[in-house]
Amino acid sequence: AQTVTQSQPEMSVQEAETVTLSCTYDTSENNYYLFWYKQPPSRQMILVIRQEAYKQQNATENRFSVNFQKAAKSFSLKISDSQLGDTAMYFCAFMKQRNTPLVFGKGTRLSVIA
Amino acid sequence: EAQVTQNPRYLITVTGKKLTVTCSQNMNHEYMSWYRQDPGLGLRQIYYSMNVEVTDKGDVPEGYKVSRKEKRNFPLILESPSPNQTSLYFCASSPAGLRNGYYGYTFGSGTRLTVV
C-alpha cells in the first residue's frame, strides 16, 4: 500500500521569505500523480500544484513550485515570497492512477508571520 | 460555477439518530468520493463511486452507507451515528476518461459533524 509522509507537523516563515515543505512517499508504481493541497481556516481543500510522475520537469504555479525527485520518492513544495494568505494546513497526496483513492499525508501547518 | 456542494456545513446530533449528508456536483463527473478528516490522521477515504449504481468501500467504511442513484448526487448516510464518527467530512468528484491535464479531485466545502 502507498504511504505519504510529511515530517514537519508545523512550520513558520516570515512574510516575503521562502519556505520548503517536505513530503516523501512509498510506492512500487512507475506512473502516478502527486498533489499539494492547501486548507486555510475556511476548511476548503484547494489544489495548489500537481505533478505527473512521467514528467521529469518540476511543476510550477506562480509562487509555488515543487522539487520532484522520483528515485528518492520525494515531492517537496517551495513557496516563494510568502504571504499572510499562505497561512494554512498543507497536505501532500498521492494517486496511483486517475480516479483511484487519494492517499494523504498528515499535513504541515504553515504560519506566515508579518 | 463548477462546484461540489455539501450540506449541511455543520451538524450536531445524538448517538443513534440516523442522518444524511448530501453531496451534489454540477460538472458531470463520473467519479465521486467521501473522505473524513481527523487531527493527526490527514484525510481517509470512506466510500467511492465510479458511476451511477457503482459504489465501493474505501479505507474506513464501517458505520457508513452511500448510494449513487443519479450521476450528480452521492449522499453519505450514517444509520446509527456514534461519537467516534465525529469528524470533518469532505465529498469530492473527478472526471473519468483520458483527458489532458488531469487535476485530480474537486472538493466540497466540508461538513463538520459532532455526535454526542
Side-chain angles (χ1 to χ4, degrees):
Chain A
Q2 288 79 19
T3 59
V4 177
T5 302
Q6 294 179 248
S7 59
Q8 305 148 315
E10 293 189 23
M11 295 187 72
S12 62
V13 62
Q14 291 290 129
E15 198 174 7
E17 297 294 308
T18 295
V19 63
T20 298
L21 280 59
S22 66
C23 172
T24 58
Y25 56 94
D26 185 26
T27 184
S28 58
E29 303 290 328
N30 189 45
N31 292 317
Y32 46 85
Y33 298 89
L34 294 162
F35 304 87
W36 278 98
Y37 283 91
K38 170 185 177 181
Q39 187 179 45
S42 66
R43 302 182 332 209
Q44 182 72 38
M45 292 291 287
I46 301 166
L47 178 64
V48 175
I49 200 165
R50 83 199 201 293
Q51 176 82 41
E52 292 159 295
Y54 69 88
K55 292 184 177 178
Q56 294 186 341
Q57 187 174 7
N58 288 326
T60 300
E61 291 285 344
N62 300 314
R63 297 182 296 106
F64 299 87
S65 61
V66 297
N67 183 4
F68 174 48
Q69 301 289 328
K70 191 173 183 180
K73 297 180 183 175
S74 171
F75 184 60
S76 61
L77 174 70
K78 185 171 83 171
I79 306 174
S80 304
D81 185 26
S82 297
Q83 301 175 359
L84 296 177
D86 295 334
T87 292
M89 181 74 87
Y90 287 82
F91 290 99
C92 179
F94 171 98
M95 180 184 282
K96 187 166 63 174
Q97 58 185 321
R98 294 184 182 195
N99 296 325
T100 57
L102 266 173
V103 178
F104 285 87
K106 295 182 179 180
T108 296
R109 186 174 300 280
L110 176 67
S111 298
V112 180
I113 302 164
Chain B
E1 180 189 353
Q3 60 186 357
V4 177
T5 303
Q6 287 180 236
N7 281 298
R9 290 213 71 196
Y10 299 91
L11 179 59
I12 301 174
T13 190
V14 296
T15 300
K17 185 176 181 182
K18 180 180 178 179
L19 67 91
T20 299
V21 183
T22 64
C23 174
S24 180
Q25 50 93 5
N26 62 1
M27 296 165 283
N28 202 36
H29 285 172
E30 290 81 5
Y31 184 90
M32 297 185 75
S33 181
W34 278 102
Y35 283 81
R36 61 177 288 174
Q37 180 181 357
D38 302 290
L41 296 177
L43 285 81
R44 296 174 293 167
Q45 191 182 52
I46 303 170
Y47 267 96
Y48 65 95
S49 169
M50 296 297 291
N51 214 324
V52 176
E53 302 291 1
V54 180
T55 64
D56 208 346
K57 297 177 181 179
D59 294 324
V60 288
E62 294 77 21
Y64 304 96
K65 283 177 58 176
V66 293
S67 68
R68 188 92 182 271
K69 294 184 171 60
E70 304 166 285
K71 195 172 186 179
R72 63 183 293 123
N73 295 324
F74 190 46
L76 179 69
I77 303 157
L78 284 72
E79 294 267 359
S80 182
S82 62
N84 65 12
Q85 293 178 297
T86 292
S87 187
L88 177 59
Y89 291 86
F90 285 98
C91 181
S93 72
S94 175
L98 297 175
R99 303 178 194 181
N100 292 331
Y102 179 67
Y103 288 87
Y105 300 172
T106 300
F107 283 85
S109 298
T111 296
R112 170 73 68 188
L113 172 66
T114 302
V115 183
V116 298

